[in-house]
């Protein structure tokens, strides 16, 4: 057969503009070797993941090192500010498992929320704040474990910029050195939900309630897997590796059901500036696109997620929607709180559920937890604090 | 059709701002052109509620349409939710990343529309830049969050005692998310000063800038930390 001469010349380029793409610098690249190489060249100190660590599969197949203990807890402004049971549960689980950890005071917010909401920062400042926190962790000998999804994603953006931009790297190093601190990049940037994934089997061995009748829906946090997505956890056994396994794998391991819903990819509606100054947007998106869809398609007992902003948006947005008779009313919490409840944590002393807006009591009853007794115990604690019989609730009270 | 919404602004000024965005080191990793497939719009929460399109942002920057760029810089960028759902772009653009750069340029240049968009934000900026944590429990007041329901009132009424009923020692605070060492805050001040971040605030809110500068200068003088 004679070849056919296809008369297609293609479209001639009508512009002189060039969009350069360097395969070596695409956003999802694996930066591990580059980080170590820069360490060998003396550009920075690389803090290795301490042993023992867990190897978790990531989006494109590489194994990510997840430290089990000796972790430096990079807390979250939102979690610690208005969902304190979130962080308390993470610490409590560490204590339950007998893991050594460090809860620092030498830590600032990542400031990414401020940046995404108001842009009142710049590239060098963002990187310097990140690296100051990393150096503070290094100086304690503990390894950073990032509680907030936004901090996690943003720090990975910063890491990408510092690896590829020598001028920025030198500028930030000079700032950190002026502060009298070492310039340190952790080998891996690790989110607390990856740690939850790593210890899920140890937790499942300690479950105290039958969770088989509990149905959860999972909202994967945007900044966990949409920013610098290459090293988010993807397990072939969870959604065939087509969605992140964070949260879902833990909940299933604990024995609860995870139900699917069609708007799983959608943002929670937090919006950074919107949650504070245009809350009608947040409220509408959180309820119409997320909670109502979950209710209609899965009717969950609880919504679980792994970021501060998501818990805030999804929990706080339901009150006004409920007042309008909308199909909402599902408690929202982190998987750390849910897992802590499952292995016997106190719902108020540890999980601090009284800071949440949606009624969580039906869920606790269904799990088999005596809510009324637990609340009475907590109120007794509060009375002791009020009357000076106890200054603070301490870990000794809750383990 | 070219935008004529800001006809009173000289083309040279629009071009200057566009060039500032384009010169950002991150620009080349955020824009590779645009297929006009619309996947970013389908994934975008803001596109569902506003006359807003991440596709149009990417298109405008790819075409280098400075008139439309200037309109978007003023009228669109603050609608973005910064969720980066648009990062699912098959061309590997990041419209959200481009908007981040545009916002930063808008702040640095003190655009009137930016000042209006961030008018309700000074408290947050002040909090993060002076304390090192940006959400504090004492912000939870019922007058500020009436639509969050009666739980906000319960928190504000019991705030001090409920914070003390938390096991982690670092959380026994009401004015900060967690207790931050003084030295840590001072190092943050040094970073804001050395990177020009405090100067950016001057373009946005002169009064806020002056208050923060005074706080930071006094603290830095005592601490002995560098400022430049």
């Amino acid at each position: 057969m004679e070849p056919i001469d296809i008369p297609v010349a293609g479209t001639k380029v009508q512009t002189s503009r060039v969009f350069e793409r360097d395969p070596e610098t695409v956003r999802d690249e694996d930066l591990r070797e580059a980080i170590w190489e820069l360490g060998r060249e003396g550009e920075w100190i690389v803090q290795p993941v301490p042993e023992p660590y867990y190897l978790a599969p990531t989006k494109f197949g590489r194994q990510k090192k997840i430290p089990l203990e000796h972790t430096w807890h990079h807390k979250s402004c939102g979690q610690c500010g208005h969902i304190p049971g979130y962080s308390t549960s993470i610490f409590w689980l560490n204590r339950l498992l007998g893991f050594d950890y460090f809860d620092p005071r030498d830590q600032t917010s990542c400031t990414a929320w401020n940046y995404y909401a108001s842009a009142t920062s710049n590239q060098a400042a963002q990187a310097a704040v990140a690296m100051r926190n990393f150096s503070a962790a290094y100086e304690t000998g503990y390894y950073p474990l990032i509680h907030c999804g936004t901090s996690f994603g943003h720090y990975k953006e910063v890491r990408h910029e510092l690896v590829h931009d020598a001028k920025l790297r030198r500028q930030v190093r000079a700032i950190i050195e002026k502060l009298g601190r070492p310039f340190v990049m952790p080998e891996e940037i690790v989110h607390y939900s990856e740690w939850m994934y790593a210890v899920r089997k140890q937790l499942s061995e300690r479950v105290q309630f039958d969770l088989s009748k509990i149905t959860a829906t999972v909202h994967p946090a945007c900044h966990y897997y949409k920013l610098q997505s290459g090293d988010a956890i993807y397990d072939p056994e969870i959604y065939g590796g087509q969605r992140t396994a964070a949260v879902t794998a833990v909940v299933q391991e604990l024995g609860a059901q995870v139900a699917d819903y069609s708007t799983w990819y959608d943002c929670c509606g937090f919006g950074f500036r919107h949650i504070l100054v245009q809350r009608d947007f947040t409220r509408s998106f959180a309820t119409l696109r997320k909670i109502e869809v979950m209710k209609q398609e899965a009717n969950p007992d609880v919504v679980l997620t792994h970021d501060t902003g998501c818990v805030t948006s999804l929990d706080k947005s339901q009150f006004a929607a409920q007042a309008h008779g909308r199909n909402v009313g599902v408690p929202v919490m982190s998987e750390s709180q849910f897992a802590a409840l499952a292995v016997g944590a106190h719902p108020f002393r540890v999980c601090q559920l009284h800071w949440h807006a949606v009624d969580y009591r039906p869920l606790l009853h269904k799990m088999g937890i005596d809510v009324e007794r637990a609340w009475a115990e907590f109120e007794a604690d509060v009375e002791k604090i009020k009357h000076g019989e106890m200054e603070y609730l301490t870990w000794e009270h809750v383990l | 059709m070219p935008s004529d919404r800001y006809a009173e602004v000289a083309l040279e000024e629009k071009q200057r701002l566009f060039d500032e965005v384009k010169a950002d080191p991150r620009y080349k990793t955020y824009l590779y052109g645009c297929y006009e497939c619309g996947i970013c719009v389908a994934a975008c929460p803001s596109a569902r509620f506003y006359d807003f399109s991440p596709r149009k942002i990417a298109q405008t920057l790819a075409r280098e349409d400075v008139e439309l760029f200037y309109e978007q810089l003023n009228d669109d960028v603050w609608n973005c939710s910064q969720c980066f759902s648009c990062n699912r772009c098959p061309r590997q653009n990041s419209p959200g990343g481009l908007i981040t750069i545009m916002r930063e340029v808008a702040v640095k240049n003190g655009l009137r529309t930016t000042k209006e968009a961030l008018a309700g934000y000074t408290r947050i900026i002040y909090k993060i830049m002076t304390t090192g944590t940006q959400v504090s429990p004492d912000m939870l007041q019922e007058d500020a969050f009436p639509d969050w329901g009666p739980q906000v009132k319960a928190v504000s009424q019991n705030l001090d005692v409920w914070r003390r009923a938390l096991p982690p020692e670092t959380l026994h605070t009401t004015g900060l998310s967690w207790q931050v060492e003084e030295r840590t805050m001072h190092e943050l001040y040094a970073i804001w000063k050395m990177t020009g971040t405090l100067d950016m605030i001057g373009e946005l809110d002169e009064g806020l800038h002056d208050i923060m500068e005074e706080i930071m200068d006094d603290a830095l003088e005592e601490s002995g930390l560098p400022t430049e």
Side-chain angles (χ1 to χ4, degrees):
Chain A
M1 188 174 167
E2 291 295 314
I4 302 169
D5 185 19
I6 301 172
V8 176
T11 305
K12 287 212 169 81
V13 177
Q14 299 293 321
T15 173
S16 60
R17 287 191 296 278
V18 176
F19 297 99
E20 293 175 19
R21 175 179 235 162
D22 177 359
E24 297 298 315
T25 62
V26 294
R27 292 195 301 272
D28 286 342
E29 72 187 308
D30 179 359
L31 290 169
R32 281 175 304 172
E33 184 45 39
I35 287 165
W36 282 111
E37 182 61 29
L38 287 166
R40 286 190 289 271
E41 290 171 4
E43 292 276 335
W44 53 31
I45 298 164
V46 181
Q47 183 177 9
V49 174
E51 295 186 13
Y53 54 75
Y54 180 91
L55 288 174
T58 59
K59 188 174 187 180
F60 301 123
R62 83 167 178 92
Q63 300 290 307
K64 182 171 183 177
K65 293 179 184 174
I66 311 297
L68 295 178
E69 55 181 324
H70 310 305
T71 45
W72 187 89
H73 286 253
H74 182 293
K75 296 182 288 293
S76 152
C77 48
Q79 285 168 30
C80 298
H82 61 261
I83 325 168
Y86 200 134
S87 293
T88 305
S89 295
I90 297 170
F91 293 138
W92 187 84
L93 289 170
N94 270 273
R95 286 172 175 266
L96 181 77
L97 296 173
F99 289 166
D100 180 31
Y101 72 91
F102 190 72
D103 175 10
R105 293 165 199 251
D106 187 9
Q107 184 221 322
T108 66
S109 290
C110 67
T111 79
W113 177 4
N114 179 56
Y115 185 55
Y116 291 140
S118 67
T120 49
S121 188
N122 58 48
Q123 198 186 17
Q126 295 290 305
V129 170
M131 296 303 272
R132 200 216 64 83
N133 279 334
F134 290 157
S135 75
Y138 176 76
E139 289 185 315
T140 65
Y142 288 79
Y143 195 86
L145 187 74
I146 317 292
H147 284 197
C148 174
T150 289
S151 303
F152 171 75
H154 184 61
Y155 282 166
K156 290 198 295 181
E157 284 188 319
V158 164
R159 178 179 65 174
H160 180 272
E161 292 161 21
L162 287 171
V163 164
H164 290 293
D165 188 338
K167 191 177 157 194
L168 176 70
R169 195 166 60 243
R170 305 271 155 75
Q171 181 188 2
V172 176
R173 186 170 72 179
I175 292 169
I176 299 300
E177 287 176 351
K178 278 182 185 172
L179 299 178
R181 289 186 176 270
F183 193 53
V184 183
M185 178 60 77
E187 178 186 6
E188 301 267 16
I189 295 182
V190 186
H191 188 245
Y192 90 85
S193 66
E194 298 174 336
W195 178 84
M196 294 288 301
Y197 175 84
V199 301
R200 66 196 187 285
K201 288 199 185 336
Q202 284 141 287
L203 294 176
S204 72
E205 290 163 6
R206 295 165 183 264
V207 169
Q208 296 194 5
F209 305 100
D210 175 13
L211 303 183
S212 60
K213 294 199 168 47
I214 302 295
T215 301
T217 43
V218 170
H219 165 68
C222 294
H223 288 188
Y224 171 72
Y225 74 109
K226 293 174 185 172
L227 280 168
Q228 304 283 323
S229 62
D231 67 357
I233 301 296
Y234 282 74
D235 182 335
E237 292 187 11
I238 304 294
Y239 298 117
Q242 299 305 302
R243 299 184 202 171
T244 178
V247 184
T248 299
V250 175
V251 179
Q252 288 187 343
E253 193 72 41
L254 293 172
Q257 305 300 313
V258 175
D260 199 6
Y261 63 103
S262 56
T263 55
W264 66 272
Y265 184 84
D266 274 348
C267 160
C268 65
F270 185 73
F272 294 87
R273 63 188 301 275
H274 302 78
I275 188 80
L276 285 176
V277 295
Q278 289 187 344
R279 212 150 51 237
D280 51 340
F281 165 86
T282 297
R283 208 165 48 229
S284 301
F285 203 85
T287 54
L288 301 178
R289 287 290 293 181
K290 300 297 291 195
I291 299 293
E292 283 201 339
V293 175
M294 292 175 192
K295 282 276 280 184
Q296 189 173 353
E297 298 179 5
N299 196 27
D301 299 297
V302 63
V303 178
L304 299 174
T305 184
H306 54 153
D307 178 71
T308 323
C310 311
V311 173
T312 306
S313 306
L314 297 172
D315 178 39
K316 310 298 184 192
S317 298
Q318 294 187 53
F319 175 77
Q322 226 160 3
H324 287 279
R326 307 290 309 191
N327 184 24
V328 295
V330 195
V332 185
M333 63 185 75
S334 69
E335 93 280 40
S336 65
Q337 289 168 297
F338 183 73
L341 287 170
V343 299
H346 197 285
F348 304 109
R349 289 167 169 164
V350 175
C351 300
Q352 298 279 323
L353 292 175
H354 46 290
W355 296 75
H356 294 234
V358 180
D359 187 6
Y360 43 79
R361 285 170 295 191
L363 167 72
L364 299 190
H365 284 308
K366 197 168 176 181
M367 289 175 79
I369 295 169
D370 187 340
V371 190
E372 286 71 26
R373 194 180 82 178
W375 181 246
E377 289 166 348
F378 180 75
E379 285 208 301
D381 295 340
V382 168
E383 284 305 310
K384 282 184 188 170
I385 292 170
K386 274 183 186 169
H387 295 102
E389 295 167 46
M390 180 165 70
E391 189 175 8
Y392 300 113
L393 193 65
T394 66
W395 287 116
E396 285 66 41
H397 291 105
V398 299
L399 278 174
Chain B
M1 182 186 289
S3 167
D4 59 357
R5 198 176 293 177
Y6 292 94
E8 75 283 5
V9 179
L11 182 62
E12 290 74 20
E13 174 65 0
K14 296 170 181 171
Q15 183 71 49
R16 184 185 71 78
L17 292 166
F18 177 79
D19 290 345
E20 201 175 319
V21 169
K22 199 176 172 186
D24 189 284
R26 294 162 289 187
Y27 189 82
K28 280 187 181 176
T29 62
Y30 289 159
L31 183 66
Y32 297 111
C34 175
Y35 294 146
E36 293 218 59
C37 66
I39 283 177
C40 59
V41 186
C44 174
S46 295
R48 290 185 177 274
F49 282 85
Y50 303 111
D51 181 11
F52 175 80
S53 165
R55 180 185 65 82
K56 285 186 189 170
I57 300 281
Q59 271 288 309
T60 300
L61 295 177
R63 289 203 310 270
E64 304 197 347
D65 181 340
V66 294
E67 295 279 8
L68 193 51
F69 157 79
Y70 188 78
E71 182 183 313
Q72 291 170 343
L73 188 68
N74 282 278
D75 301 342
D76 287 343
V77 294
W78 298 103
N79 288 334
C80 171
S81 302
Q82 295 280 284
C83 64
F84 295 91
S85 298
C86 53
N87 276 8
R88 71 189 325 187
C89 169
R91 197 82 182 85
Q92 292 198 352
N93 294 312
S94 178
L98 293 167
I99 288 169
T100 307
I101 300 172
M102 289 169 74
R103 285 179 169 188
E104 194 179 312
V105 168
V107 168
K108 278 182 182 163
N109 286 276
L111 298 189
R112 179 185 54 79
T113 49
T114 299
K115 289 178 182 174
E116 288 170 3
L118 297 181
Y121 241 84
T122 50
R123 192 176 173 197
I124 302 291
I125 294 167
Y126 177 81
K127 176 68 85 173
I128 176 61
M129 292 186 74
T130 57
T131 72
T133 67
Q134 54 200 328
V135 179
S136 59
D138 60 7
M139 287 175 174
L140 289 170
Q141 300 296 330
E142 57 179 327
D143 58 339
F145 299 92
D147 57 328
W148 282 10
Q151 173 264 351
V152 176
K153 186 177 180 181
V155 168
S156 65
Q157 286 179 339
N158 293 290
L159 194 61
D160 177 57
V161 70
W162 279 8
R163 290 302 287 191
R164 287 195 278 151
L166 281 163
E169 289 178 8
T170 53
L171 302 190
H172 296 153
T173 62
T174 55
L176 298 170
S177 305
W178 61 87
Q179 287 170 348
V180 182
E181 285 172 6
E182 198 173 56
R183 171 81 185 185
T184 309
M185 282 193 245
H186 293 173
E187 289 186 17
L188 193 68
Y189 298 168
I191 289 172
W192 297 138
K193 296 277 282 187
M194 285 191 277
T195 55
T197 307
L198 186 61
D199 296 337
M200 288 174 70
I201 305 298
E203 293 291 335
L204 193 68
D205 186 330
E206 204 175 336
L208 178 66
H209 168 270
D210 292 348
I211 292 168
M212 288 199 296
E213 187 169 51
E214 193 176 336
I215 292 170
M216 290 179 188
D217 284 350
D218 289 349
L220 286 172
E221 196 177 320
E222 276 181 38
S223 71
L225 285 165
T227 56
E228 56 187 37

